Amino acid sequence: MRALMNLAIEPALKLFEVSALVVAAPASPAARRVLKVLADTPAGAIRIVRDRYPGSTAHAVVSEQPLPATAAWA
């Protein structure tokens, strides 16, 4: 699984799916993306998406799932 994570913003305690409108180039149309983000709060997940995709807009948390206790992140 590939997920966005930024430990400088928040610890990775939950898995969020965040919907965002991403513009790749000024002349191209925007595309709706659903990104998996590891964060602690919904606001932190949106902040991580904004940090990774600065041109993105219309952010919304689609789902939130706790990480399993046995998950080992290296």
Side-chain angles (χ1 to χ4, degrees), residues 15-58:
L15 177 66
F16 293 91
E17 287 187 344
V18 177
S19 173
L21 198 58
V22 178
V23 178
S28 67
R32 171 121 355 239
R33 307 262 189 228
V34 177
L35 307 161
K36 293 185 185 297
V37 182
L38 292 169
D40 187 28
T41 62
I46 289 173
R47 188 171 166 207
I48 290 170
V49 170
R50 283 186 179 144
D51 182 58
R52 175 64 177 88
Y53 296 99
S56 64
T57 59

Side-chain angles (χ1 to χ4, degrees), residues 52-65:
R52 175 64 177 88
Y53 296 99
S56 64
T57 59
H59 303 93
V61 174
V62 177
S63 71
E64 174 183 345
Q65 301 169 1

